[in-house]
Amino acid sequence: MISRIAGREAVQKKGWLKTQKWLLRRRVSQLGILGLFLLGPLAGIWIVRGSFSASKTLGVLPLTDPLIILQSFMTGHTVAAKALIGALIVVVFYAMIGGRVYCSWACPVNMITDGAAWLNRRLDLKKSLSMSRLIRYWLLAAILVLASLTGAIVWEWVNPITIFQRGLLFGMGLGWFLVAAILIFDTFVVRRGWCGHLCPVGAFYSLLGFASILRVKAKQREQCTDCMDCFTVCPESHVIRPALKGDAHSSPVIFSNNCINCGRCIDICPQNVFRFSKRF
Amino acid sequence: MDTPKNNIDEKQQKGSARRQFLTETVPAATGALVLAVSLGMYQRSARALPAYAIRPPGALAEDKFQGACLRCGQCVRSCPYDVLRLAKLGDDIPTGTPYFISRQNPCRMCEDMPCIRACPSGALGQSLPTIYEARMGLAVLIDHENCLNYLGLRCDVCYRACPLIDQAITLDVRVNRRSGVHTLFIPVVHSKYCTGCGKCEHSCVLDNAAIKILPIEQAKGELGKHYRLGWEEKEKAGGSLIPELLKLPIRRPGDTP
């Protein structure tokens, strides 16, 4: 039996809506971005053209995935100005706001892996293969080296983020198998396996947001009752401890650049310990 | 000054750093390496594009293209005739890259080249003064047995469909040896003009097209670099480089050398 369902106490204390506040906002953001892309092919309303790897909004605003640009650069290709400007806008935005805000507020795969994590908790699957969270950084290095060795953007052959999003816009092919594989892997093999351990795109945005402004802060950490709900729901649970359980002199701000700024800890805490804040 | 206690702490710390290296960093690096190598081999094995898939106009050479194309699909969206599509996972074309199948939907050769203008990365980056300089592939009349014009009929559909009629495809007049009194009008493709748009293949009336667009390197032969064509050299030099009439020895059967 599940001894404690994370969030139940918060719902009793704060009400359902307040317990889902940031989660609902994130879903609106993720689905909204996807919706803007889908509006073109489905309804013929062309606000955004292209896909996550590169797009143009309202015919003026170019946005480009900086990691793909980096790989393209590694292959030796001279990237055209249009794509560079788009990448620069994305880099500046996420470096300021919070690198992995991309993961929690824009990336469509997050909805799949969040679903897997939820399923994992509901099925009360205690076993989870232990895997280093460092693999993603090595993988990031590997795909860059691979790009320069092969002269091709090899990662894009299998990148689940762009394959999933592009699939919804242009046709999925075998993409559903990839989506199912991630769902199964995250649910049954490694808890938070994809986004929290393997994804080199997440690793890239982690590095990008090392000094970003938006941070979660355990502002009222003295109120903590050690219910562990935040640790249970946090996709990068190692980031909480230093801020929440540090000594009196330590900062209550979550400085780890692995924090994806999803705000689920804020939602789930019955004591309202956490809130969004600035890094300084 | 080191007290004994500090020494032990330091040793423990060193030990835990080593343990962490062995239990975390090494497996992580190995795992990433295995994944990367298999990905690289997969990529290597599928380097060449299948012959039916043609890249959009202005596309860089295939090996360069795979490092330049961002797989965003803006070229696909910009095409007014929905010619282009993006390769799906599982296709034998690199995932997410644009292509078209000329037999199904050929390039209409828009004069303003919207696909090239939409490309943000320079993957469709060949500087084309006009769409007529595009070289997406090359038409080849592959089947000389079933092509209706080869059979002596006046089909001519590929010739009529060609946007560069009488330049990219001409009709070569030959004797019809079967009937002895009729003429064959043989479609002949000229690589100097053919853009590889695929209208000929699209319009071919056979169930399986007799004329097909092929990647240029598959369609064209290449002369040895040392080859010189006599008539061209003659024109360049303004006259024959050797005496017009060569005196060759005459040998008859029975002559002993």
Side-chain angles (χ1 to χ4, degrees):
Chain A
M1 265 313 292
I2 306 173
S3 45
R4 177 187 170 92
I5 292 175
R8 183 160 286 179
E9 192 192 339
V11 171
Q12 280 164 3
K13 275 199 175 167
K14 305 198 287 190
W16 185 84
L17 204 62
K18 273 198 166 168
T19 308
Q20 318 297 334
K21 185 174 144 190
W22 291 106
L23 182 66
L24 288 175
R25 287 178 187 187
R26 277 199 310 121
R27 292 293 178 256
V28 167
S29 164
Q30 288 164 327
L31 291 170
I33 292 169
L34 208 53
L36 281 178
F37 276 99
L38 277 167
L39 222 49
L42 292 187
I45 304 166
W46 293 100
I47 297 169
V48 186
R49 278 167 199 269
S51 66
F52 259 21
S53 49
S55 67
K56 200 162 206 189
T57 305
L58 295 170
V60 286
L61 175 70
L63 293 174
T64 317
D65 184 332
L67 179 55
I68 299 185
I69 293 297
L70 196 58
Q71 292 172 78
S72 183
F73 173 77
M74 292 299 283
T75 68
H77 173 63
T78 315
V79 183
K82 269 190 254 181
L84 283 179
I85 294 167
L88 196 67
I89 295 171
V90 173
V91 163
V92 169
F93 178 80
Y94 284 113
M96 300 262 291
I97 298 301
R100 294 199 68 191
V101 162
Y102 172 82
C103 301
S104 53
W105 293 77
C107 180
V109 173
N110 172 267
M111 290 187 276
I112 299 161
T113 56
D114 269 358
W118 177 85
L119 207 60
N120 179 287
R121 286 201 300 277
R122 274 303 145 113
L123 298 173
D124 201 23
L125 301 170
K126 294 237 161 53
K127 269 197 186 145
S128 164
L129 213 71
S130 108
M131 199 161 78
S132 169
R133 286 187 187 266
L134 294 175
I135 294 182
R136 50 184 156 189
Y137 294 109
W138 290 99
L139 217 50
L140 175 62
I143 63 170
L144 291 176
V145 171
L146 216 54
S148 87
L149 286 182
T150 60
I153 305 177
V154 178
W155 173 241
E156 279 311 298
W157 285 44
V158 288
N159 181 358
I161 301 169
T162 49
I163 286 176
F164 181 44
Q165 207 240 6
R166 199 190 299 118
L168 294 174
L169 300 171
F170 293 92
M172 206 48 126
L174 297 181
W176 287 119
F177 284 98
L178 202 62
V179 171
I182 287 183
L183 189 68
I184 291 166
F185 181 70
D186 265 34
T187 309
F188 298 103
V189 186
V190 182
R191 210 171 290 141
R192 297 287 181 182
W194 179 254
C195 302
H197 295 75
L198 290 175
C199 180
V201 183
F204 174 80
Y205 281 100
S206 274
L207 297 176
L208 190 60
F210 77 100
S212 64
I213 296 163
L214 184 70
R215 295 285 160 167
V216 175
K217 185 179 181 183
K219 193 161 191 256
Q220 305 183 47
R221 59 182 171 182
E222 64 284 354
Q223 304 278 321
C224 176
T225 60
D226 294 332
C227 74
M228 297 295 284
D229 278 2
C230 55
F231 285 96
T232 309
V233 297
C234 179
E236 301 275 351
S237 49
H238 61 287
V239 308
I240 296 179
R241 182 174 297 278
L244 184 63
K245 292 294 159 195
D247 58 34
H249 305 294
S250 69
S251 168
V253 177
I254 295 177
F255 281 121
S256 169
N257 55 355
N258 283 150
C259 172
I260 69 172
N261 279 331
C262 67
R264 194 70 188 127
C265 53
I266 306 174
D267 282 348
I268 215 84
C269 179
Q271 308 298 327
N272 291 318
V273 165
F274 300 96
R275 63 182 51 209
F276 273 121
S277 126
K278 298 182 288 277
R279 77 177 292 123
F280 32 76
Chain B
M1 281 292 282
D2 272 344
T3 62
K5 190 176 177 286
N6 274 347
N7 249 337
I8 292 167
D9 273 4
E10 220 167 77
K11 263 188 189 164
Q12 272 175 347
Q13 245 170 22
K14 262 190 193 165
S16 88
R18 208 170 83 184
R19 198 172 315 122
Q20 198 189 355
F21 179 77
L22 286 175
T23 56
E24 286 206 0
T25 313
V26 170
T30 317
L33 193 72
V34 168
L35 282 171
V37 167
S38 46
L39 194 57
M41 278 161 67
Y42 169 52
Q43 195 274 337
R44 219 159 240 265
S45 70
R47 179 123 231 171
L49 210 58
Y52 67 84
I54 302 166
R55 294 290 188 207
L60 302 179
E62 189 57 23
D63 56 333
K64 296 246 167 49
F65 187 82
Q66 290 200 26
C69 174
L70 305 177
R71 286 88 163 147
C72 70
Q74 290 186 67
C75 54
V76 176
R77 294 298 185 224
S78 73
C79 177
Y81 300 98
D82 276 338
V83 169
L84 297 174
R85 48 176 93 176
L86 292 185
K88 298 170 188 148
L89 188 68
D91 291 348
D92 45 5
I93 303 164
T95 314
T97 55
Y99 69 99
F100 68 98
I101 299 175
S102 54
R103 180 64 168 164
Q104 293 170 8
N105 201 354
C107 175
R108 307 305 200 286
M109 296 186 19
C110 309
E111 305 237 318
D112 55 346
M113 301 179 270
C115 49
I116 294 180
R117 283 193 292 136
C119 178
S121 71
L124 307 182
Q126 278 181 25
S127 51
L128 301 179
T130 69
I131 190 67
Y132 298 104
E133 273 77 36
R135 293 293 178 268
M136 297 169 260
L138 181 63
V140 180
L141 209 172
I142 290 179
D143 189 347
H144 293 185
E145 292 173 334
N146 293 304
C147 168
L148 296 184
N149 275 37
Y150 264 94
L151 293 174
L153 289 93
R154 289 302 304 271
C155 165
D156 300 359
V157 169
C158 55
Y159 164 76
R160 302 270 167 213
C162 180
L164 288 158
I165 183 169
D166 283 327
Q167 288 180 298
I169 302 182
T170 56
L171 291 179
D172 199 5
V173 179
R174 291 179 205 169
V175 175
N176 185 342
R177 292 189 191 281
R178 181 179 54 79
S179 71
V181 292
H182 297 97
T183 309
L184 298 178
F185 294 81
I186 303 300
V188 178
V189 179
H190 302 275
S191 65
K192 191 181 171 193
Y193 296 104
C194 175
T195 63
C197 73
K199 279 230 171 147
C200 51
E201 183 180 352
H202 180 246
S203 63
C204 179
V205 300
L206 302 191
D207 284 352
N208 185 3
I211 190 165
K212 289 187 168 82
I213 305 294
L214 294 180
I216 289 173
E217 60 280 9
Q218 282 180 38
K220 281 191 86 165
E222 195 179 336
L223 246 97
K225 293 267 187 291
H226 61 289
Y227 261 75
R228 297 290 178 273
L229 301 176
W231 53 95
E232 281 182 1
E233 297 301 316
K234 189 173 169 183
E235 204 172 321
K236 250 193 273 175
S240 186
L241 298 168
I242 50 172
E244 285 287 348
L245 283 171
L246 278 184
K247 226 177 152 52
L248 295 172
I250 299 165
R251 292 197 185 99
R252 292 192 183 82
D255 283 2
T256 43

